[in-house]
Amino acid sequence: MSDKIRLSAVTLDSSDAIRLAEFYADITGGTMTQFGDEWACVQSPAGRLNFQTVPGYTPPTWPDPTASSMMHLDFMVEDRDAAEARVLAAGATKYDFQPNSNQCFVYADPAGHPFCLTTWEAPTV
């Protein structure tokens, strides 16, 4: 046995796990690999995303200094304009406030989770 830890997936709450999984499968070129009324998984070229239906789900608000978005996803893209067209066609909305528009654009998925399309690769240490 080993004490090695590696990230398996990220799980996002929503009011409709299937709808949100369909959105992320569409924008990432992934495939829904498992789904039910309250749970769905998407296997994408970059890894696995999970989605769960949560009764009474409340989407995060962004930007809002009094509320936390908890987390957001960053997606590396080659052409932000082309990627933007793709995510908007799939049902995302672009936020008016863009704090780092020189390197990324911020959107909300259909459940209201913020996510970024970026061309900036973080330096490795």
Side-chain angles (χ1 to χ4, degrees), residues 16-90:
D16 185 343
I18 301 299
R19 168 66 186 110
L20 196 56
E22 289 171 341
F23 169 80
Y24 279 102
D26 185 17
I27 70 165
T28 65
T31 303
M32 285 181 54
T33 58
Q34 182 181 37
F35 54 91
D37 291 340
E38 298 179 7
W39 185 263
C41 298
V42 171
Q43 187 65 47
S44 77
R48 192 174 88 204
L49 294 169
N50 297 330
F51 308 91
Q52 61 186 358
T53 300
V54 174
Y57 169 75
T58 303
T61 55
W62 189 91
D64 181 350
T66 65
S68 172
S69 65
M70 304 297 274
M71 58 147 275
H72 71 270
L73 301 172
D74 290 332
F75 293 99
M76 180 64 67
V77 299
E78 293 177 11
D79 181 333
R80 282 191 300 168
D81 293 333
E84 175 175 275
R86 182 175 181 169
V87 301
L88 293 176

Side-chain angles (χ1 to χ4, degrees), residues 46 71-77 104-106 114-118 120:
M71 58 147 275
H72 71 270
L73 301 172
D74 290 332
F75 293 99
M76 180 64 67
V77 299
C104 69
F105 294 142
V106 187
F115 71 93
C116 296
L117 299 179
T118 185
W120 181 72

